[in-house]
Amino acid sequence: MQMKKTITDRVSWVGKVDWELTTFHGEEYSTWRGSSYNSYLVRDEKTALIDTVWLPFAEEFVSNLKQTVDLNTIDYIIVNHAEIDHSGALPLLMKEIPDKPIYCTKNGIKSLQGHYHQDWNFVPVKTGDTIQLGSTSLVFVEAPMLHWPDSMFTYMTGENILFSNDAFGQHYATELLYNDLVDQCELFAEAIKYYANILTPFSSLVTKKINEVLDLGLPVDMICPSHGVIWRKDPLQIVQKYLAWADSYQENQITIVYDTMWNATRRMAEAIAEGIQESDGSATIKLMNAGKEDKNDIITEVFRSKAILVGSPTINRRYLSSIGAFFEIIRGLRFSGKKAAAFGSYGWSGESVKLMAEDLAEAGFELVDEGCRVMWKPDGDALDACRDFGRRFGQAL
Ligand code: FEO
């Protein structure tokens, strides 16, 4: 059972750490390190609750909240974002305090009504609207499509806290609450995975919104997201990371994503990697079998890459299903500024390489080679051709 955790004299964490979570968004997102649903209780002369938790923890959440605060003394409920992981406990909470006002964006009202079909006491807010709590206040900043139409941030004056909801979050379970107390490798691995897999399509909006908020010149002592740790040590470090990640991010890395039936395409991938190594010796090269590796981990590596190669044998005049799933994801994420080519083995018809090249182009990758095909199992000459292809690819970057 999670009890409240004190952040400042006026602000407490009243959320839920979900150590058992292994997938999120249904089965779309792997959460190897669990997650948390962060809810915050803000107490000045007036009391506000910012976001709730996911439905399975609604009873636990409301029960714990009752031990922290008389629910009738809550003056305002703030819904920064209506997605179920943050609003799931609202129906149970609203049964206890049905008349309390819910502050959210106009789109937030639509989302909440669409999900819960309740006519709660909604108060629509827009950027700049403010609730005076006492000596402190809450100021709302709409952040549409970061990552839903309803998303917004809430800034608390006096405490200088930005409640950023999903932005700057990580699916990362910890009891330690703060960024400076956890393993930094784990923290940033989860933060970049979260950005790569969820926020990539909205990168231009990320840049615009961050600059808009930075231009306000507000002091930021803490960033309190709705998943993972609170950024209290150098809180703007994650903002700077987001600006970098939103700007066609890439490292000196090449990722080879492939699947294979009888290891011919795997042997091609390995020979191509050797060729790249010869021509671009400083680049990190990673091989990932899409049939075996986690799709979100693959996407994170693609996000970090300056270029990718995609490989599959031909089957039924097409490519293997894991590669099809990979293309489905990258078409939606719309990476920019990355180069690519395709490769694969075949026995007779051999369509896979052409199809993969077309799909890479459609997903926004710049094709730098027409691709590499090998008939049947690659022999010494074919492996040499793959190495040549790898060298050419490395030189083209
Ligand atoms: Fe954490 Fe968009 O919900």
Side-chain angles (χ1 to χ4, degrees):
M1 183 179 284
Q2 298 297 314
M3 304 304 287
K4 80 159 179 144
K5 296 180 181 180
T6 301
I7 299 172
T8 71
D9 288 347
R10 298 189 189 98
V11 180
S12 303
W13 177 94
V14 290
K16 172 67 188 176
V17 180
D18 188 353
W19 287 92
E20 287 192 355
L21 191 76
T22 51
T23 62
F24 186 79
H25 282 159
E27 300 299 315
E28 270 306 285
Y29 188 109
S30 58
T31 48
W32 304 132
R33 296 185 177 97
S35 191
S36 70
Y37 319 106
N38 299 338
S39 169
Y40 300 97
L41 188 69
V42 176
R43 281 188 276 200
D44 197 338
E45 287 162 33
K46 299 279 190 181
T47 297
L49 179 73
I50 301 178
D51 295 321
T52 70
V53 302
W54 188 30
L55 178 64
F57 304 106
E59 276 188 35
E60 184 179 327
F61 170 76
V62 172
S63 162
N64 282 344
L65 196 60
K66 280 181 183 171
Q67 292 176 42
T68 303
V69 64
D70 175 351
L71 298 185
N72 291 304
T73 66
I74 294 176
D75 298 290
Y76 312 108
I77 297 165
I78 315 298
V79 174
N80 274 333
H81 173 37
E83 197 166 2
I84 326 304
D85 49 328
H86 309 296
S87 67
L90 260 188
L92 193 60
L93 180 67
M94 297 312 286
K95 274 192 183 151
E96 302 267 353
I97 44 174
D99 300 323
K100 295 294 180 181
I102 297 176
Y103 286 69
C104 59
T105 62
K106 268 189 189 169
N107 281 324
I109 298 174
K110 282 188 205 163
S111 289
L112 289 171
Q113 286 177 327
H115 280 112
Y116 302 113
H117 309 285
Q118 298 290 320
D119 196 19
W120 291 320
N121 178 12
F122 294 112
V123 180
V125 297
K126 49 190 185 337
T127 296
D129 287 355
T130 300
I131 295 176
Q132 202 66 42
L133 298 177
S135 62
T136 62
S137 58
L138 298 178
V139 184
F140 304 113
V141 180
E142 292 169 275
M145 295 319 296
L146 292 177
H147 67 130
W148 272 20
D150 69 306
S151 300
M152 73 170 183
F153 305 153
T154 298
Y155 176 79
M156 184 178 183
T157 67
E159 297 288 1
N160 304 336
I161 294 176
L162 182 68
F163 297 95
S164 60
N165 197 266
D166 282 334
F168 314 122
Q170 334 89 45
H171 287 305
Y172 185 32
T174 173
E175 297 297 334
L176 297 176
L177 201 60
Y178 298 109
N179 68 315
D180 51 302
L181 300 183
V182 300
D183 182 298
Q184 299 298 291
C185 290
E186 289 186 357
L187 171 59
F188 280 96
E190 292 304 333
I192 196 171
K193 174 180 177 179
Y194 188 97
Y195 190 98
N197 282 274
I198 296 177
L199 289 165
T200 293
F202 312 112
S203 285
S204 61
L205 296 172
V206 168
T207 309
K208 207 167 148 218
K209 183 54 60 180
I210 286 177
N211 286 326
E212 180 190 318
V213 173
L214 290 177
D215 285 348
L216 296 174
L218 299 168
V220 177
D221 292 346
M222 269 188 260
I223 295 176
C224 292
S226 57
H227 298 289
V229 297
I230 293 167
W231 301 91
R232 74 171 175 188
K233 183 175 180 191
D234 187 11
L236 292 182
Q237 66 177 299
I238 189 61
V239 177
Q240 294 305 326
K241 284 280 184 203
Y242 265 49
L243 286 173
W245 292 340
D247 188 16
S248 301
Y249 182 73
Q250 54 179 248
E251 298 172 19
N252 188 18
Q253 178 172 322
I254 297 159
T255 302
I256 303 177
V257 181
Y258 67 94
D259 200 349
T260 192
M261 293 171 74
W262 296 107
N263 289 322
T265 299
R266 176 177 65 77
R267 288 293 293 118
M268 291 181 72
E270 290 165 353
I272 290 166
E274 288 166 17
I276 296 172
Q277 175 72 35
E278 286 172 28
S279 65
D280 190 357
S282 64
T284 298
I285 303 166
K286 291 188 181 171
L287 278 72
M288 302 187 88
N289 182 325
K292 296 176 189 284
E293 304 254 11
D294 176 72
K295 58 183 182 284
N296 306 111
D297 290 344
I298 293 174
I299 290 299
T300 307
E301 296 305 331
V302 170
F303 179 70
R304 296 174 65 187
S305 297
K306 60 182 178 182
I308 67 167
L309 284 148
V310 183
S312 171
T314 296
I315 178 169
N316 300 333
R317 309 181 72 109
R318 296 198 57 82
Y319 41 64
L320 288 171
S321 60
S322 72
I323 296 299
F326 171 70
F327 279 125
E328 188 58 32
I329 298 173
I330 62 172
R331 263 199 297 267
L333 289 176
R334 300 195 302 276
F335 292 111
S336 66
K338 297 188 191 296
K339 294 178 174 158
F343 66 96
S345 65
Y346 68 105
W348 48 102
S349 61
E351 290 90 343
S352 70
V353 171
K354 180 170 175 286
L355 291 170
M356 288 186 289
E358 287 168 2
D359 285 352
L360 280 165
E362 193 195 329
F365 288 77
E366 181 193 342
L367 288 172
V368 295
D369 195 288
E370 63 186 14
C372 179
R373 290 198 316 165
V374 166
M375 197 170 188
W376 302 118
K377 183 182 173 188
D379 60 8
D381 287 346
L383 291 174
D384 279 344
C386 290
R387 284 185 202 96
D388 276 346
F389 170 68
R391 273 192 290 273
R392 268 203 325 272
F393 188 76
Q395 284 159 5
L397 302 181

